[in-house]
């Protein structure tokens, strides 16, 4: 259940000049990503600015992206919430239109204890037992870490198939890999940690950089998987400045700027996010130019 490949792109949400969602550009971008290294798209995750999207906008994005990539790639719906009831309702609605999985973030701000986290994810999984679920651990944004011990408990639920591990803690990822079945999928939540996490048993990455270098990331992972470690390392090191440049300020501000430099009409970010300053733009553009991406 729920094989999402190796490159899962956390897709941005394009906006029009008036701030409304640009569904046409979203569909075109989704098709482009799938043609350039993406196995699965996460729609309405952190990079998709889910905190400032309405439930109706999110649902329509699921519909549009599913149609755009029909038969070519899978779509994971970002349905997470810090309200269990809301997360269940959003996941059930998304499941009815045929998404291939859901991404469920650790509840943010209310900081539930580990028992509460277990009960939250268990309830969502039980409400949609046929829909594969990826857990999403990103304590830097949520204020709470999902412990390896809780992940191990959750991995015993049939349709909880993996985790996007964005704690930045390699020891934690190692412990999850050590204690979970091999079929439980671990995805890096940071592009710069993809290669290190592959070495301890990760399957791939939920990526921001794959908007720009999806094919190169595929080559890095496939090289690693066939034992060509030096080639994988060379690709990692070549792309490393890009990985860091895309987080010079809050994601997704830099990736949207990078896409605009490539000619994509993705618009701005929604408040309270804001456009970045000229210095960061110049640094980002210099990295893109060095990699021949603009």
């Amino acid at each position: 259940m729920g094989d999402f490949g190796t490159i899962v792109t956390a897709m941005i949400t394009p906006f029009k000049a008036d701030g409304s969602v640009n569904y046409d550009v979203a569909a075109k971008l989704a098709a482009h990503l799938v043609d350039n290294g993406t196995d699965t798209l996460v729609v309405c995750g952190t990079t998709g600015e889910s905190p400032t999207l309405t439930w109706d906008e999110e649902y329509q994005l699921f519909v549009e992206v599913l149609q755009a990539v029909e038969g070519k790639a899978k779509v994971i719906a970002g349905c997470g919430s810090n309200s269990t009831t809301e997360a269940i309702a959003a996941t059930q609605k998304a499941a009815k239109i045929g998404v291939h999985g859901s991404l469920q973030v650790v509840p943010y701000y209310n900081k539930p204890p580990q028992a509460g986290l277990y009960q939250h994810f268990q309830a969502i999984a039980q409400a949609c037992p046929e829909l594969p679920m990826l857990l999403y651990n990103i304590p830097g944004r949520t204020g709470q870490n999902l412990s390896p011990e809780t992940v191990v408990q959750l991995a015993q639920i049939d349709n909880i198939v993996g985790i996007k591990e964005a704690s930045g803690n390699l020891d934690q990822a190692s412990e999850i890999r050590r204690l979970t079945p091999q079929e439980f999928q671990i995805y890096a939540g940071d592009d710069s940690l993809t290669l290190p996490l592959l070495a301890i048993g990760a399957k791939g990455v939920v990526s921001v950089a794959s908007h720009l270098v999806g094919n190169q990331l595929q080559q890095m992972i496939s090289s690693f998987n066939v034992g060509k470690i030096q080639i994988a390392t060379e690709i990692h090191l070549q792309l490393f400045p890009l990985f860091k440049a895309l987080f010079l300020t809050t994601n997704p501000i830099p990736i949207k700027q990078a896409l605009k430099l490539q000619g994509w009409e993705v618009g701005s970010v929604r408040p309270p996010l804001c456009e970045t300053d000229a210095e960061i733009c110049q640094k980002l553009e210099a990295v893109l130019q060095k990699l021949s991406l603009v």
Side-chain angles (χ1 to χ4, degrees):
M1 177 186 270
D3 182 353
F4 298 118
T6 56
I7 303 297
V8 179
T9 297
M11 192 176 126
I12 62 106
T13 297
F15 296 119
K16 297 178 181 178
D18 64 3
S20 61
V21 175
N22 193 328
Y23 297 106
D24 290 340
V25 173
K28 291 174 184 175
L29 179 61
H32 168 79
L33 292 171
V34 171
D35 287 339
N36 288 276
T38 293
D39 299 313
T40 296
L41 292 162
V42 169
V43 181
C44 304
T46 304
T47 309
E49 298 181 66
S50 58
T52 51
L53 295 172
T54 68
W55 289 116
D56 287 342
E57 287 172 331
E58 292 189 4
Y59 180 78
Q60 190 60 34
L61 277 164
F62 300 151
V63 171
E64 298 289 343
V65 173
L66 274 170
Q67 291 176 349
V69 303
E70 186 176 8
K72 294 182 178 180
K74 293 183 177 179
V75 175
I76 295 174
C79 297
S81 172
N82 61 348
S83 162
T84 305
T85 302
E86 282 190 357
I88 288 172
T91 305
Q92 288 176 328
K93 188 173 182 180
K96 289 177 181 177
I97 60 169
V99 298
H100 304 93
S102 75
L103 182 71
Q104 301 290 342
V105 70
V106 167
Y108 36 88
Y109 189 75
N110 40 19
K111 292 188 74 171
Q114 295 301 311
L117 293 177
Y118 177 83
Q119 292 165 18
H120 172 80
F121 293 121
Q122 179 192 45
I124 301 167
Q126 290 177 342
C128 296
E130 303 304 317
L131 189 68
M133 179 197 298
L134 281 183
L135 307 168
Y136 179 14
N137 186 38
I138 182 163
R141 285 186 182 258
T142 64
Q144 180 65 299
N145 182 55
L146 183 63
S147 74
E149 293 76 17
T150 305
V151 175
V152 171
Q153 285 182 284
L154 289 165
Q156 297 172 24
I157 299 172
D158 287 346
N159 60 320
I160 298 182
V161 301
I163 185 170
K164 176 185 176 183
E165 175 48 50
S167 68
N169 186 329
L170 294 178
D171 285 353
Q172 175 154 308
S174 296
E175 189 72 351
I176 292 170
R177 181 71 293 159
R178 186 178 75 87
L179 295 173
T180 54
Q182 192 58 41
E183 60 268 19
F184 185 79
Q185 302 163 60
I186 299 173
Y187 286 92
D190 304 280
D191 282 295
S192 62
L193 294 181
T194 304
L195 186 58
L197 281 169
L198 290 176
I200 56 176
K203 181 171 184 177
V205 58
V206 180
S207 174
V208 175
S210 55
H211 283 87
L212 309 170
V213 290
N215 290 321
Q216 294 94 315
L217 289 171
Q218 283 282 8
Q219 184 184 4
M220 181 183 77
I221 294 174
S222 62
S223 295
F224 178 89
N225 287 337
V226 298
K228 296 180 179 179
I229 309 302
Q230 184 174 348
I231 293 175
T233 302
E234 288 171 357
I235 296 170
H236 166 78
L237 295 176
Q238 180 187 33
L239 298 180
F240 187 74
L242 175 66
F243 299 156
K244 305 312 285 186
L246 292 176
F247 286 83
L248 284 169
T249 187
T250 304
N251 177 51
I253 297 169
I255 186 59
K256 277 196 155 179
Q257 179 65 24
L259 288 167
K260 283 190 279 190
L261 289 169
Q262 287 191 332
W264 286 94
E265 295 180 1
V266 297
S268 186
V269 287
R270 276 187 175 172
L273 297 182
C274 61
E275 292 298 301
T276 190
D277 59 42
E279 182 181 356
I280 289 178
C281 285
Q282 289 169 1
K283 289 179 179 178
L284 177 63
E285 187 167 7
V287 172
L288 296 174
Q289 287 174 342
K290 192 166 185 179
L291 290 169
S292 301
L293 294 172
V294 291

